[in-house]
Amino acid sequence: MDANDPPFDRIDIDEPFDSAELSRLFEHQRFDPETLQPDEESQRLLSRHTYRWADAVRTGIISIAWPQRLYVPEQVDYRRYWILPPPHENVYQHDWTRSTTPEPNGCYADNGTGLMTASISPTALTGTHRAYTGLAIEYTPAATLSQIRFSAEVTAAGFRRFDFLSGARYSRFDYSGAVLLRGWEINPVNGTWETLPQFASHQVFEDTHIGQRAGVPFQTSVSLPSGTLGVNLLVQKGKRYAFGVLFRVTIVADAREADERTTYQPRRDDTIRLQAMLSGSVPEMTVDTTITYQP
């Protein structure tokens, strides 16, 4: 054994046999030209690899079962994540869209693919206009009382369009788009979701526009690897929870007539194109137990 080798008790309980590493070792072996045997260094590396995994098997550490902490969309190729397909409880269970504007509004969510789009275009030039889309998993704790950390991998692109050339005397539009992580307790009697107070958020874009303007649409993107954005939640055995990722876009509109009090009503020759959109994917979600207060 080499002093730099990791101790066996640090091998990930869900780590399968590393066939890629074994293939690499065979590929880089050097052979003695006379005996045609691997050189001493190649033999040492191969022995170390074999001994490490053989010991893991003997001590019962190794498992090829789907990692309990990992949740993925049901329709994706599971081989991107693991060597066996996930059980039903480890795929996304819920998707939804919500908007203050009537359908169709461009909102979309699919728990099978992990894709989401939240889009909002105001139907009035006053008030708060908002759209949500969400994907969620279900979780049942094993410990009586514990703290878990819910995290997700997210990639998203934000889009904002602001064209406002009109007869309004005063106008202000506040745009925002955000990724949120939230948790809910599912009521066992009526099935309603009761929001937990803790949450995490990442602002993708936030802009304020005052007065008249027409210009090039604005785009931005964000990539949040798994573990970058997470939230700690207290959970109890016997309760059922949902944890999810939401895309939220908002436009707060305030456009007024010449008296600066009455909401502006668009005219025939106005140019008004207002939209905020956040579109992307959630390739995976994870739930890790960080503290067990009562087993």
Side-chain angles (χ1 to χ4, degrees):
M1 289 290 291
D2 188 32
N4 295 323
D5 285 346
F8 296 132
D9 59 2
R10 289 179 56 193
I11 297 176
D12 187 354
I13 191 170
D14 290 316
E15 188 175 8
F17 185 86
D18 196 342
S19 58
E21 181 183 359
L22 183 60
S23 298
R24 183 182 60 80
L25 291 175
F26 279 125
E27 182 181 348
H28 291 86
Q29 281 189 116
R30 293 190 298 272
F31 294 84
D32 184 278
E34 295 183 1
T35 65
L36 299 181
Q37 296 298 312
D39 65 4
E40 183 177 347
E41 176 64 10
S42 296
Q43 289 180 321
R44 188 186 74 81
L45 292 174
L46 183 60
S47 296
R48 184 176 69 179
H49 173 87
T50 305
Y51 183 76
R52 177 185 179 217
W53 289 103
D55 187 87
V57 172
R58 286 196 303 271
T59 56
I61 295 176
I62 191 170
S63 170
I64 62 171
W66 183 270
Q68 293 183 357
R69 66 185 293 272
L70 178 62
Y71 299 77
V72 300
E74 185 175 15
Q75 297 173 16
V76 298
D77 184 358
Y78 68 86
R79 289 167 293 188
R80 292 169 46 193
Y81 303 88
W82 205 248
I83 59 176
L84 294 176
H88 179 70
E89 57 266 24
N90 283 86
V91 299
Y92 300 174
Q93 303 288 327
H94 303 279
D95 57 40
W96 65 91
T97 66
R98 300 285 187 274
S99 178
T100 58
T101 61
E103 300 289 350
N105 55 22
C107 293
Y108 172 83
D110 186 344
N111 59 16
T113 62
L115 300 176
M116 283 196 296
T117 296
S119 178
I120 191 72
S121 295
T123 54
L125 296 179
T126 185
T128 298
H129 307 267
R130 177 168 288 166
Y132 284 95
T133 58
L135 300 170
I137 63 172
E138 289 195 18
Y139 178 76
T140 302
T144 303
L145 183 64
S146 60
Q147 176 183 278
I148 62 94
R149 182 167 181 81
F150 169 59
S151 183
E153 178 182 345
V154 180
T155 58
F159 172 86
R160 180 264 295 150
R161 181 159 194 170
F162 178 74
D163 290 327
F164 190 73
L165 297 175
S166 71
R169 179 67 176 271
Y170 171 85
S171 61
R172 171 173 174 157
F173 298 90
D174 297 302
Y175 283 70
S176 65
V179 177
L180 297 95
L181 268 57
R182 299 231 60 145
W184 301 265
E185 182 182 337
I186 302 176
N187 189 300
V189 178
N190 56 24
T192 58
W193 289 22
E194 300 167 4
T195 305
L196 301 177
Q198 299 83 6
F199 70 95
S201 65
H202 180 90
Q203 201 74 29
V204 181
F205 61 88
E206 192 170 22
D207 304 287
T208 296
H209 303 284
I210 298 176
Q212 310 286 324
R213 180 182 173 186
V216 178
F218 168 83
Q219 289 182 292
T220 187
S221 61
V222 63
S223 178
L224 303 172
S226 184
T228 303
L229 184 63
V231 57
N232 296 328
L233 300 160
L234 196 66
V235 295
Q236 295 177 274
K237 186 176 182 178
K239 294 186 176 182
R240 183 173 156 220
Y241 297 90
F243 304 135
V245 179
L246 293 88
F247 287 178
R248 182 185 71 193
V249 289
T250 306
I251 298 178
V252 181
D254 184 10
R256 307 176 197 171
E257 297 279 4
D259 61 6
E260 297 190 2
R261 294 188 302 274
T262 307
T263 300
Y264 180 74
Q265 300 300 319
R267 275 58 161 176
R268 184 184 298 273
D269 57 349
D270 287 348
T271 299
I272 301 176
R273 289 185 289 267
L274 310 171
Q275 185 184 20
M277 183 171 69
L278 190 58
S279 183
S281 67
V282 183
E284 66 177 60
M285 305 184 198
T286 56
V287 179
D288 295 291
T289 302
T290 54
I291 303 174
T292 300
Y293 297 105
Q294 298 178 29

